[in-house]
Amino acid sequence: MPLIISTPTTILSSSNCFKYAFTCSEISPSLNISVKRLSDLSYSKLFEYAKEEALKLSQEDEPFNLTLLTVNTHFEGGYLEEDCPNIYNEQYSSVIACSANQINDFVRWVQAQDFYDNTTIVLVGDHLTMSTAYYENAIENYTRTVYNLFINPAVTPVDTNYRQFSVLDMFPSTLAAMGVKIDGDRLALGTNLFSKEPTIIEKYGYDGKQLHHLLRVLDFLERYISGEPYENCLRPLDPEYLKSVKQF
């Protein structure tokens, strides 16, 4: 789950979106650990590193943006690091609980800092978990959704009732949460959720089956154009994800 921490006046652009970007191999030596992929990273240590970076950035005389990515719940079954207690029969439940606690502790830490009053926190879930079977077997009658949360935004939402939206709307909404004024409250295909403007889904509706077909075609074309054999392209790379899309 990406965790974005920004001072409200930060404006992201294609030319200076990030001043520094650290890959897994670059960040692991500073944490005194050895990892080969992000899913194996000790996120408790990552958040400690993030605290140091946040304090450094807050001392500068300009707005800052700090973006973190956690992927320990990304893969099927998740990655249960050594510092996480295995308290449930299902490992994935323990991974979710540990990740939630780590993020909560970090957010609480930020809220206790002097720079928090002028800082917006955005929690973004980029997609549904790929552990589709986990929800089918463990939880009955549960409608899976992506979790997003704005903490301490610079603007108050016009409508606090249930909204229907997609990832497209997170772009203008994140900027609005940082205090950016958006003419017409729309950017590209996204709508500022803090405004009264309806989103594309609210205006035109949503059909999971149609999205399933579009994603399936996109998967086929990308792989076929890249040179993958035709017969292989006929089989989707992630059939469980496509199946979950159709459920909405």
Side-chain angles (χ1 to χ4, degrees):
M1 171 181 288
L3 174 69
I4 305 171
I5 304 174
S6 300
T7 50
T9 51
T10 298
I11 299 179
L12 307 181
S13 69
S14 58
S15 60
N16 61 353
C17 184
F18 295 105
K19 188 174 182 180
Y20 305 106
F22 298 99
T23 64
C24 183
S25 59
E26 291 172 324
I27 198 174
S28 57
S30 63
L31 300 178
N32 194 28
I33 56 177
S34 176
V35 291
K36 295 183 179 180
R37 60 179 186 174
L38 280 173
S39 60
D40 294 337
L41 182 63
S42 173
Y43 290 96
S44 57
K45 294 182 179 180
L46 173 65
F47 282 118
E48 289 303 314
Y49 178 81
K51 291 178 182 179
E52 297 178 6
E53 286 298 308
L55 291 175
K56 291 178 183 178
L57 291 170
S58 67
Q59 300 301 316
E60 298 180 0
D61 295 328
E62 59 182 12
F64 72 87
N65 168 267
L66 175 62
T67 301
L68 308 176
L69 173 66
T70 63
V71 292
N72 44 349
T73 61
H74 181 73
F75 300 97
E76 293 191 18
Y79 169 69
L80 190 67
E81 58 184 274
E82 293 182 359
D83 297 334
C84 293
N86 191 9
I87 56 179
Y88 296 103
N89 294 330
E90 184 80 30
Q91 174 178 295
Y92 199 57
S93 297
S94 298
V95 174
I96 293 174
C98 183
S99 179
N101 287 329
Q102 289 173 338
I103 294 173
N104 176 71
D105 291 344
F106 182 71
V107 169
R108 296 301 184 190
W109 177 85
V110 173
Q111 292 175 322
Q113 305 309 305
D114 293 337
F115 61 80
Y116 173 67
D117 289 342
N118 195 37
T119 299
T120 296
I121 302 174
V122 185
L123 304 183
V124 183
D126 52 345
H127 60 80
L128 297 175
T129 176
M130 293 190 292
S131 294
T132 305
Y134 170 81
Y135 285 95
E136 291 179 345
N137 299 329
I139 305 176
E140 296 182 0
N141 300 321
Y142 175 70
T143 300
R144 300 171 63 203
T145 57
V146 175
Y147 183 82
N148 301 291
L149 177 65
F150 293 93
I151 301 176
N152 198 34
V155 61
T156 301
V158 175
D159 187 359
T160 58
N161 293 325
Y162 180 78
R163 298 291 302 270
Q164 292 184 321
F165 65 97
S166 70
V167 65
L168 299 173
D169 304 305
M170 294 302 294
F171 169 37
S173 300
T174 299
L175 292 178
M178 295 189 293
V180 177
K181 304 300 181 182
I182 302 173
D183 186 21
D185 289 310
R186 295 184 187 277
L187 289 175
L189 297 177
T191 301
N192 173 17
L193 293 171
F194 290 90
S195 72
K196 64 180 180 180
E197 293 297 322
T199 66
I200 288 180
I201 293 179
E202 289 173 334
K203 190 172 183 178
Y204 298 105
Y206 171 82
D207 187 340
K209 293 182 179 180
Q210 293 299 324
L211 178 59
H212 168 272
H213 294 320
L214 289 174
L215 292 175
R216 180 67 189 91
V217 171
L218 178 62
D219 173 72
F220 173 85
L221 290 177
E222 287 181 339
R223 294 161 59 195
Y224 185 69
I225 292 174
S226 66
E228 191 170 335
Y230 174 80
E231 292 76 12
N232 292 353
C233 298
L234 294 176
R235 295 186 292 272
L237 286 176
D238 194 350
E240 289 301 315
Y241 171 68
L242 293 175
K243 178 181 177 182
S244 68
V245 169
K246 293 179 66 176
Q247 296 176 355
F248 285 91

